[in-house]
Amino acid sequence: MTQSWKITALASRQAVQDALLAHEETPDWDHAIVLSGCEVAKDRPEEWLLEAWLPRRPTRADKSAFLALFAGEPPAIASERLPDQDWVTLSQQNAQPIVAGRFHIHTPEHPAMEEAGVVDFTIPAGQAFGTGHHETTAGCLAMLDAMKAGGVSARNIADIGTGTGLLAFAARALWPHALVTASDVDPVCVDVVESNAAANDVPMGAGPGQLTMLVADGMAHPLLQARAPYDLLIANILAGPLVELAPDFGKAVLPGGSLLLSGLLGTQEDAVLRACRLAGFRSTARMRKGDWSILWLRKRTLARPARRSVQPRWLPGS
């Protein structure tokens, strides 16, 4: 099994969030190094950890690249070798079930919730992002539920950066006759999505009510482009790619269609909204889950009114 190592730095909340932003803007970042930031404890909200996960012993260059993400005086860092086991799986095996909107998400170690009106999904611990336990994924589930309750109709759906496939599964559950296309840049996700689809009785295929899984970087796949325009497009990725992909999303979503975005911190919201407005979207609703933002936007059907300004509504964050 591949060795796993971790580099850790303790810094202020702002310093870690700025480092995550700097990571997104580093063009030659080694994608084998996965970053995450989190608060040390609930009662210490201004103290954060920046962690880098590596499939090898960190080199001097790895440590230098990690430290270069911090502006000003860099913090002290520590590195450690992790046990020879799948740390991603282990970190999720004890994850408690979550409820987001009408959705109940749990690992196989926990029972399903068999109650009227509840949509239950079993998502095993694994190597793809999107088990529902991260605040962005849970927020997207809650926002999808709010969209359905608000009367949104979707017949053609795309989930960009699908990870485990969970958001695509949830969208199909809400709009069971829709054509659903899911994609991810990581080829590992193909087997993950297909396995999760089988476990949750989600049919794979190319017809209405079925899920098609693709490997694609953003919208760069012939089938993604051929199936456009979409009346619902979901992208729970990172703020940098969301800004870069905004023009492509503008071309891929129908007038009046919905765009659901997450993977961005609250401090990154303005930049993402600015790019999306330039691409023809207007903000409809926002939600906060901790430090993360979940955005629902609609594609404009007419030119923006010259005099009237409508503020987006805020939805509860929990």
Side-chain angles (χ1 to χ4, degrees):
M1 181 174 290
T2 303
Q3 288 187 11
S4 294
W5 284 73
K6 182 173 71 168
I7 305 173
T8 305
L10 175 64
S12 68
R13 168 179 168 174
Q14 189 61 56
V16 171
Q17 291 183 352
D18 288 345
L20 291 170
L21 284 172
H23 158 251
E24 292 181 22
E25 297 169 359
T26 304
D28 56 350
W29 184 263
D30 184 348
H31 293 292
I33 304 175
V34 178
L35 286 186
S36 66
C38 62
E39 61 188 22
V40 173
K42 290 292 185 184
D43 59 348
R44 297 160 63 188
E46 296 305 318
E47 296 180 49
W48 275 44
L49 292 174
L50 183 67
E51 297 174 320
W53 309 86
L54 301 88
R56 60 178 183 269
R57 186 188 185 102
T59 64
R60 182 177 299 178
D62 293 333
K63 294 178 181 178
S64 296
F66 180 82
L67 288 171
L69 298 174
F70 291 93
E73 185 69 22
I77 63 171
S79 61
E80 61 177 312
R81 181 179 175 180
L82 302 174
D84 290 332
Q85 49 198 3
D86 187 344
W87 58 265
V88 177
T89 298
L90 289 174
S91 70
Q92 296 175 3
Q93 280 180 343
N94 295 320
Q96 294 300 307
I98 67 160
V99 175
R102 72 187 70 189
F103 299 104
H104 176 251
I105 316 300
H106 61 97
T107 60
E109 292 78 20
H110 296 276
M113 183 182 290
E114 298 179 357
E115 295 183 12
V118 172
V119 179
D120 190 275
F121 289 118
T122 302
I123 303 294
Q127 293 184 338
F129 178 81
T131 61
H133 292 86
H134 193 276
E135 290 167 322
T136 59
T137 310
C140 284
L141 291 169
M143 188 69 89
L144 283 170
D145 190 52
M147 293 164 70
K148 176 68 174 182
V152 169
S153 176
R155 293 173 295 177
N156 190 14
I157 301 169
D159 178 17
I160 308 302
T162 194
T164 63
L166 175 57
L167 295 181
F169 299 168
R172 179 194 166 274
L174 294 173
W175 296 281
H177 303 296
L179 182 70
V180 183
T181 311
S183 70
D184 202 285
V185 70
D186 189 349
V188 168
C189 294
V190 175
D191 289 340
V192 171
V193 169
E194 290 178 350
S195 176
N196 288 340
N200 290 282
D201 297 322
V202 176
M204 302 292 294
Q210 298 179 322
L211 174 66
T212 303
M213 177 63 194
L214 309 171
V215 177
D217 186 357
M219 300 298 295
H221 191 286
L223 187 58
L224 274 175
Q225 297 169 13
R227 287 187 168 184
Y230 300 96
D231 38 28
L232 171 58
L233 191 150
I234 305 163
N236 179 20
I237 43 180
L238 292 170
L242 290 177
V243 170
E244 294 175 7
L245 288 168
D248 292 336
F249 293 161
K251 297 173 185 175
V253 176
L254 276 170
S258 293
L259 179 65
L260 174 57
L261 303 179
S262 195
L264 63 145
L265 293 163
T267 54
Q268 301 167 320
E269 190 174 291
D270 288 345
V272 172
L273 285 172
R274 189 180 309 114
C276 290
R277 289 187 184 112
L278 290 173
F281 293 95
R282 59 179 175 82
S283 184
T284 299
R286 308 180 196 179
M287 182 185 295
R288 284 283 174 85
K289 285 284 188 178
D291 293 292
W292 302 92
S293 290
I294 298 91
L295 306 177
W296 171 16
L297 304 100
R298 301 292 289 262
K299 181 76 176 291
R300 295 192 191 96
T301 55
L302 298 172
R304 183 186 295 178
R307 297 182 179 178
R308 186 183 177 196
S309 176
V310 178
Q311 295 298 316
R313 60 192 174 101
W314 282 87
L315 295 181
S318 60

